[in-house]
């Protein structure tokens, strides 16, 4: 990746390294030509929140089950 350096008030770019096309390869994953699922960030957020709620519910049900099982002994 290129970095801008400020020297004496003028912006210059650093010399490109051997892997300078790495950025273009990474951007390829985010284009319409990339293989795989095409889902929006909103869908990813909803799925993530559902997963977090599911894990929290499992914790609550586990606590309830353990409390009821311990009371019967």
């Amino acid at each position: 990746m290129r970095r801008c350096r400020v020297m004496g008030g003028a912006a210059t770019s650093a010399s490109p390294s051997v892997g300078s096309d790495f950025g273009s390869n990474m951007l390829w994953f985010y284009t319409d030509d990339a293989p795989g699922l095409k889902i929006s960030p909103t869908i990813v957020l909803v799925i993530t929140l559902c997963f977090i709620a599911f894990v929290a519910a499992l914790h609550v049900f586990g606590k309830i089950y353990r409390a009821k099982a311990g009371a019967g002994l």
Side-chain angles (χ1 to χ4, degrees), residues 16-50:
S17 62
V18 175
S20 64
D21 62 342
F22 177 72
S24 64
N25 288 338
M26 283 302 292
L27 290 177
W28 183 73
F29 287 110
Y30 301 103
T31 63
D32 290 334
D33 298 332
L37 293 175
K38 309 273 190 296
I39 56 176
S40 70
T42 305
I43 298 299
V44 173
L45 180 66
V46 168
I47 291 172
T48 303
L49 293 175
C50 288

Side-chain angles (χ1 to χ4, degrees), residues 4-5 12 14 19-20 23-24 37-38 44 55 59 63-65:
C4 291
R5 295 183 187 171
T12 59
S20 64
S24 64
L37 293 175
K38 309 273 190 296
V44 173
V55 170
H59 282 285
K63 296 257 185 200
I64 293 171
Y65 175 75

